[in-house]
Amino acid sequence: MNRKHLTALLSALALAAPLHAHAATADPIKIGVLTDMSGVVSDATGKGSVEAARIAVEEAGGSVLGHPIEVIFGDHQHKPDVGSAIARKWFDVDGVDAIVDLPNSSVALAVQNIAREKKKIVLVSSAGTTALSQAKCSPYTVQWTYTTYALARGTASAVVKSGKKTWFILASDYAFGKQLAKDTQDVVQANGGEVLDTIYHPLNTADFSSFLLQAQSSGAQVIALANAGGDTINAIKQAGEFGIGTGEQKMAAMLLMITDVHSLGLESAQGTYLTVPSYWDMNDGARAFTKKFQERLGKAPTFLQEGVYGSVRHYLQAVKAAGTDDADAVMAKFRSLPIDDAFSQNAHVRPDGLVERDMLLAQVKSPKASKREWDDYDIVATIPGKDLVWPLAESQCPLVKK
């Protein structure tokens, strides 16, 4: 080989080497699942939320724009300071592009503030406080799955219209429970009912006896539970010990997961009305996802975990469409692209960051009516999304043009 050819070959190798190295070490698109791995809603979120995100990544082919997609997770322990510390480290040190899930409204609000400062994306599947898409809204946050407002309008209005006019609300003492209690009261009153009293219990309460006895003695026709996860399960179980729910006085769970129903058993939970954004058995696509999910975890997904799947799927589609992982460009596509996952019916992102979607009014089946494991709900009606959101003209979100 002459010197001219050797020089040309060495030049080509010099150019090729860094290109090959860059391709092999391309920075990953990182998604952080900030969740509850061991606490009161770990069964409804936790490992299931992590696997839901991983399924979305696998369905996207494991990479986007030539970058591998990496899913990491952390446990916020229902503490805003812990969640904030994890979020800061993820954004500043670990290169996380988007944080998803976020059960616990107080943690979600704290993380949203950091993400706004850092111009990073937050996709909330599991926190329901309306503050996320009302007064505290952010151009980098989407409230994907549900709000306390939607659940209250779906369930409370149906129960009041059935003739149960007097209510007593037992709520968890943090942002989510307080907001759900307020939304429930507003809906009850708007439909001609009356809330006799509202009391609050600490998160992760073991003994509900004093709260339930106070509610029972009120004489309210309905005792509404504005809590979640283990608190809801414990309250319903202990209510049964006092005979609550078996006579004229009924229980209404304002947020009830299919895992909660499974834990309680259909015998205890049958007949309960609830509003859900999605259900594992709602269509062929939902059943296909559920098959993958059950192979990994041995159970059906909750609507919170289904929301993680949908939000991560849509995020990756937005990154691909934007041609970049720049947060502003991705969010522009996130808002404009049609939402097409199996769990989202007639869904779109509003200017305030809230996903407006149709939801389902469901009723827990009796043991006799259930034909197989996890066949827990009868779908009574589809509730149009427009009936489950506040008008944009009344929005407190500064992103909404009046």
Side-chain angles (χ1 to χ4, degrees):
M1 182 181 295
N2 63 39
R3 184 170 181 177
K4 182 178 180 180
H5 287 159
L6 179 60
T7 301
L9 177 61
L10 291 173
S11 296
L13 289 172
L15 288 171
L19 287 172
H20 176 75
H22 178 74
T25 60
D27 291 338
I29 301 292
K30 282 193 177 182
I31 299 168
V33 183
L34 191 50
T35 189
D36 173 11
M37 296 299 292
S38 57
V40 67
V41 291
S42 57
D43 197 32
T45 59
K47 292 179 181 178
S49 290
V50 177
E51 289 304 320
R54 288 173 174 161
I55 292 172
V57 168
E58 289 164 13
E59 290 182 355
S63 66
V64 62
L65 303 178
H67 294 263
I69 307 163
E70 183 178 342
V71 175
I72 64 174
F73 63 89
D75 186 349
H76 58 51
Q77 302 172 40
H78 291 275
K79 299 175 181 178
D81 59 335
V82 173
S84 295
I86 293 171
R88 285 192 183 279
K89 180 178 182 294
W90 279 358
F91 289 149
D92 294 343
V93 179
D94 298 328
V96 167
D97 297 283
I99 292 178
V100 304
D101 200 15
L102 288 163
N104 188 301
S105 293
S106 299
V107 174
L109 288 166
V111 171
Q112 178 177 246
N113 286 336
I114 295 168
R116 183 190 289 109
E117 168 197 335
K118 305 288 184 183
K119 295 187 177 181
K120 293 285 190 174
I121 293 172
V122 174
L123 307 176
V124 181
S125 171
S126 299
T129 179
T130 57
L132 287 161
S133 47
Q134 280 272 42
K136 303 292 186 182
C137 72
S138 163
Y140 302 101
T141 296
V142 173
Q143 192 164 17
W144 181 266
T145 313
Y146 78 105
T147 64
T148 55
Y149 182 93
L151 297 185
R153 287 182 69 87
T155 304
S157 60
V159 176
V160 174
K161 288 173 183 176
S162 75
K164 301 293 185 182
K165 299 289 188 179
T166 56
W167 288 55
F168 187 104
I169 301 174
L170 175 56
S172 52
D173 192 12
Y174 70 108
F176 164 80
K178 291 177 180 178
Q179 186 67 59
L180 185 53
K182 180 185 182 303
D183 291 337
T184 301
Q185 177 169 316
D186 289 347
V187 173
V188 169
Q189 293 175 341
N191 284 276
E194 179 186 4
V195 175
L196 303 181
D197 199 1
T198 299
I199 57 175
Y200 297 93
H201 67 81
L203 184 67
N204 208 10
T205 299
D207 184 3
F208 281 88
S209 57
S210 62
F211 303 114
L212 290 168
L213 288 171
Q214 186 175 340
Q216 186 179 44
S217 64
S218 73
Q221 293 172 299
V222 180
I223 299 174
L225 300 176
N227 50 18
D231 285 334
T232 305
I233 293 169
N234 286 337
I236 292 175
K237 283 181 177 178
Q238 291 173 37
E241 296 171 6
F242 294 109
I244 299 172
T246 58
E248 288 298 314
Q249 198 171 49
K250 300 298 183 181
M251 301 288 290
M254 306 313 296
L255 176 62
L256 192 65
M257 298 293 157
I258 195 166
T259 46
D260 302 335
V261 172
H262 207 67
S263 178
L264 286 163
L266 295 180
E267 188 67 41
S268 298
Q270 63 182 310
T272 301
Y273 281 97
L274 63 156
T275 299
V276 293
S278 57
Y279 179 45
W280 72 267
D281 200 22
M282 63 192 288
N283 56 47
D284 288 343
R287 286 186 283 272
F289 168 83
T290 298
K291 184 175 184 295
K292 297 175 185 178
F293 189 91
Q294 284 187 302
E295 288 171 351
R296 302 173 189 222
L297 294 166
K299 59 184 180 181
T302 66
F303 69 71
L304 303 180
Q305 293 157 344
E306 292 160 0
V308 171
Y309 165 76
S311 64
V312 171
R313 174 188 171 94
H314 196 69
Y315 168 73
L316 295 174
Q317 291 173 341
V319 171
K320 183 177 180 180
T324 175
D325 61 357
D326 173 77
D328 290 297
V330 171
M331 286 306 299
K333 289 296 184 182
F334 196 103
R335 294 171 183 275
S336 64
L337 287 174
I339 296 173
D340 69 349
D341 73 277
F343 298 106
S344 298
Q345 300 181 91
N346 299 319
H348 67 274
V349 185
R350 302 191 338 160
D352 54 7
L354 174 65
V355 172
E356 179 180 321
R357 64 174 69 245
D358 292 354
M359 294 192 183
L360 305 170
L361 180 63
Q363 187 175 26
V364 178
K365 289 184 175 182
S366 67
K368 184 178 180 181
S370 178
K371 302 305 181 185
R372 61 193 187 283
E373 190 176 27
W374 300 102
D375 178 28
D376 293 348
Y377 296 163
D378 279 320
I379 303 304
V380 178
T382 297
I383 309 169
K386 63 181 178 61
D387 295 340
L388 300 169
V389 296
W390 50 91
L392 285 172
E394 299 173 10
S395 175
Q396 302 168 26
C397 173
L399 301 175
V400 176
K401 296 178 181 179
K402 305 293 176 62

